[in-house]
Amino acid sequence: MSQKSHCRFCGETLHKTCVDLGMSPLCESYISADQWNQMEPFYPLHVYVCDKCFLVQLDEYVNPEDIFTEYAYFSSFSDDWLKHSKKYVEKMVDMFSLDQKNLVVEVASNDGYLLQYFLEKDIPVLGIEPAKNVAKIAEEKGVTTLVKFFGEETATELVDQDKKADLLLGNNVLAQVPDINDFVKGMKSLLNSQGVITMEFPHIMCLIEENQFDTIYHEHFSYFSFYSIEKIFSAHGLLLFDVEEIPTHGGSLRIYACHKSDDSKSINRRVKDLRKKESLAGVDGLDYYIRFQENVIETKRKLLDFLISAKRNGKSIVGYGAPGKGNTLLNYCGIRTDFIDYTVDRNPYKQGKYLPGTRIPIYDPAMINDTKPDYVFILPWNFKDEIINQLANIREWGGKFVVPIPEVTII
Ligand SMILES: [Zn+2]
C-alpha cells in the first residue's frame, strides 16, 4: 500500500492482507439514466487484518457522511427481516421485562422497521438514524427519530436531556462505524446502570468459512469475531454476558453487553463455548485470515465457469435483487450485461437505475414473468429461501435459480 494505515481499534500499523478484491465502486451508488455518461469513482477493496488485535478491516476511503446521509437501503423491504425483528422484540420484552417505564434506543434505526414493534407494546422508543430520507419514513410510523450519527457526542447530548437507554440496540451498524472507539464509548455513556446493549453483526467466521467475500464493501469498515469485539467492549468498560449465533446475513452474532460494574447479570455458558470454538478455528492467529484469498479466487473461477458455459449453451440469465453484496460480487468477478441481462428489485428507489460499476439495469420484479429467463441469479443469497418461494412460478417454464455463495449452486 502507498501509505501506512493503522488499526481503528488498537492503533497498530496494518500490513497483513486478509483479501484484496481489487478496485470497486461504492456499492450503494446506483446510477441513474442522467449519470450514464459520467465516470464512476472506484476505490481499492483491500481488507487487512491487524496482527495485534486481529480486527479485520478496510481503510476508510470515503466519508461516511457521503454514504449514509441519503441511503437507498430500506429495511422494511424484506419480509424475512421484518419477521426476524418482530421475534427479537418479543424476546427482549420477555427477557428483560420491558414496559412503559423503560426506554429502548436503536442506533441506525433505519425506517423504523424494528422499533415499530416496541411501540405496538407501548414501550417508549428513540431511533437514531443519519439518513434523512429513511428517518422520515420512521417518523411517519410514529417512531421518534433523531437524524444524527451516533458517538460520544450524541450520547452526551441525550444524557444531558435525562435520556438513558434500558435497552440499547444496533443491528448491522458496528461494521459501518469508522471510529469504533468513539461509538462504543458513546454506548457506554448512554446505557442505564442496569441496561442491556444488544448488537447484531455478521460473524467473520461465517464470512471466511462460507466464502462470503461479497459481504465486503466500502461501507463496511470492520469485520468482527467474538474475540475482537470482546476486546473492544472490554476496553470501554463493557462486559459481554451472552451471545447467540443467528442465521441472518449468512451467519451473525448477537451480543449482549452490560456495564462491567453491573452485577445483576450472570455470564451465559455460550460466551465460553464461543470463545473456545473461535480459538479452535484459529481466529486468534494470522494464518486463519491469510488463507482466505485463495478460496475467494477459486469461488470466482467456479462461478465464471458456470456462467460461460450457460451462455455458450444459449441460456438467458437475469439477476434478482440489487443489494450491496451483489455489487461487490459482480464487480470483482467482472460480470456485466455480457452474462446477466438485467436484475430486478422490489425497492422502487432502485428501479430504473443501474448497478454501480457493472451498469446492469434494475427493473421491477414483474419483468421476470415477462421475459421468462432460464436462470435467475440470486444476488442477496441470504434471502434465498424467501426469494425461491416468491418466484416459484419460474418452474412453469423450466427456470432455475443460481446461488453464487459459498460456491455456485443451481437449484
Ligand atoms: Zn488492532
Side-chain angles (χ1 to χ4, degrees):
M1 77 167 90
S2 58
Q3 62 190 64
K4 282 200 166 59
S5 297
H6 298 275
C7 173
R8 65 169 44 85
F9 168 56
C10 78
E12 187 77 3
T13 306
L14 297 173
H15 42 73
K16 296 288 182 193
T17 294
C18 176
V19 63
D20 183 358
L21 299 172
M23 298 292 288
S24 214
L26 295 183
C27 76
E28 296 285 344
S29 305
Y30 297 90
I31 305 295
S32 57
D34 60 350
Q35 293 168 314
W36 183 261
N37 286 343
Q38 291 168 19
M39 59 85 87
E40 291 174 62
F42 277 55
Y43 301 89
L45 202 44
H46 190 148
V47 183
Y48 291 90
V49 56
C50 172
D51 53 9
K52 191 173 160 211
C53 73
F54 303 111
L55 178 63
V56 173
Q57 55 200 296
L58 267 179
D59 256 348
E60 188 190 324
Y61 295 102
V62 276
N63 186 340
E65 288 180 17
D66 294 336
I67 308 174
F68 298 118
T69 40
E70 165 93 13
Y71 203 40
Y73 186 76
F74 293 87
S75 299
S76 296
F77 281 102
S78 164
D79 300 336
D80 271 6
W81 187 241
L82 285 178
K83 252 184 254 162
H84 171 78
S85 303
K86 193 166 187 204
K87 233 169 87 188
Y88 164 86
V89 170
E90 265 147 31
K91 186 168 177 172
M92 292 307 113
V93 171
D94 193 46
M95 244 172 120
F96 303 115
S97 313
L98 298 170
D99 60 27
Q100 293 93 322
K101 297 185 294 297
N102 298 119
L103 177 65
V104 177
V105 179
E106 183 181 17
V107 180
S109 48
N110 202 275
D111 59 6
Y113 71 101
L114 185 145
L115 289 179
Q116 61 181 349
Y117 298 120
F118 283 109
L119 267 190
E120 279 174 10
K121 296 177 188 292
D122 290 324
I123 298 167
V125 299
L126 173 67
I128 303 172
E129 168 58 53
K132 243 186 267 167
N133 60 329
V134 185
K136 194 170 156 252
I137 294 174
E139 286 278 354
E140 284 162 12
K141 288 177 187 154
V143 174
T144 308
T145 306
L146 187 62
V147 181
K148 274 213 159 130
F149 280 95
F150 184 76
E152 177 64 1
E153 196 187 311
T154 305
T156 310
E157 227 173 84
L158 289 168
V159 173
D160 286 347
Q161 299 163 25
D162 277 332
K163 289 196 171 101
K164 282 227 165 190
D166 298 297
L167 175 64
L168 176 56
L169 71 117
N171 291 335
N172 302 303
V173 58
L174 269 185
Q176 304 176 353
V177 173
D179 187 347
I180 187 85
N181 287 316
D182 179 66
F183 186 91
V184 178
K185 204 171 153 201
M187 287 198 298
K188 162 97 179 155
S189 305
L190 187 56
L191 188 67
N192 224 341
S193 56
Q194 294 200 343
V196 173
I197 296 170
T198 78
M199 308 226 101
E200 291 177 23
F201 50 84
H203 190 192
I204 183 90
M205 260 186 90
C206 298
L207 190 158
I208 288 187
E209 285 169 21
E210 302 281 315
N211 265 327
Q212 299 165 355
F213 64 89
D214 58 341
T215 59
I216 295 167
Y217 34 91
H218 297 106
E219 287 83 341
H220 284 179
F221 304 124
S222 310
Y223 303 82
F224 303 98
S225 58
F226 189 69
Y227 176 89
S228 60
I229 201 72
E230 199 172 26
K231 276 193 165 191
I232 295 169
F233 272 60
S234 177
H236 294 281
L238 293 165
L239 174 80
L240 301 190
F241 66 92
D242 199 359
V243 61
E244 288 171 80
E245 292 174 82
I246 54 176
T248 47
H249 294 285
S252 295
L253 295 181
R254 177 188 291 151
I255 54 166
Y256 293 76
C258 63
H259 291 289
K260 273 186 182 168
S261 54
D262 176 1
D263 51 16
S264 68
K265 319 272 187 303
S266 52
I267 297 180
N268 194 292
R269 212 200 132 76
R270 286 190 288 247
V271 169
K272 205 170 138 202
D273 290 347
L274 185 56
R275 276 192 205 128
K276 195 170 162 197
K277 180 176 162 182
E278 283 197 343
S279 168
L280 283 172
V283 163
D284 48 359
L286 268 182
D287 287 350
Y288 182 77
Y289 304 96
I290 289 167
R291 283 194 304 262
F292 187 42
Q293 177 87 59
E294 233 357 91
N295 298 337
V296 170
I297 294 172
E298 190 50 31
T299 307
K300 168 177 177 172
R301 288 179 184 143
K302 281 184 181 151
L303 178 58
L304 287 175
D305 273 346
F306 163 76
L307 292 173
I308 291 169
S309 101
K311 290 314 282 181
R312 288 213 196 288
N313 289 317
K315 305 290 186 195
S316 56
I317 309 167
V318 307
Y320 186 94
K325 59 165 66 70
N327 292 325
T328 293
L329 181 88
L330 299 170
N331 277 293
Y332 173 65
C333 295
I335 299 165
R336 302 183 181 80
T337 49
D338 42 3
F339 290 112
I340 293 184
D341 300 338
Y342 61 83
T343 190
V344 299
D345 201 279
R346 286 167 74 187
N347 183 347
Y349 183 94
K350 295 179 183 175
Q351 292 166 10
K353 294 194 167 122
Y354 299 86
L355 298 183
T358 60
R359 303 275 174 118
I360 294 171
I362 309 164
Y363 300 129
D364 183 282
M367 188 67 138
I368 292 179
N369 281 326
D370 296 343
T371 63
K372 301 188 171 39
D374 297 306
Y375 292 106
V376 174
F377 189 119
I378 300 179
L379 293 167
W381 44 259
N382 48 317
F383 296 123
K384 69 172 190 286
D385 296 336
E386 179 182 348
I387 293 163
I388 289 172
N389 248 328
Q390 276 168 15
L391 294 186
N393 67 314
I394 75 165
R395 309 289 188 197
E396 288 166 17
W397 62 82
K400 293 192 172 96
F401 296 97
V402 182
V403 180
I405 302 289
E407 63 174 43
V408 62
T409 310
I410 312 305
I411 299 171

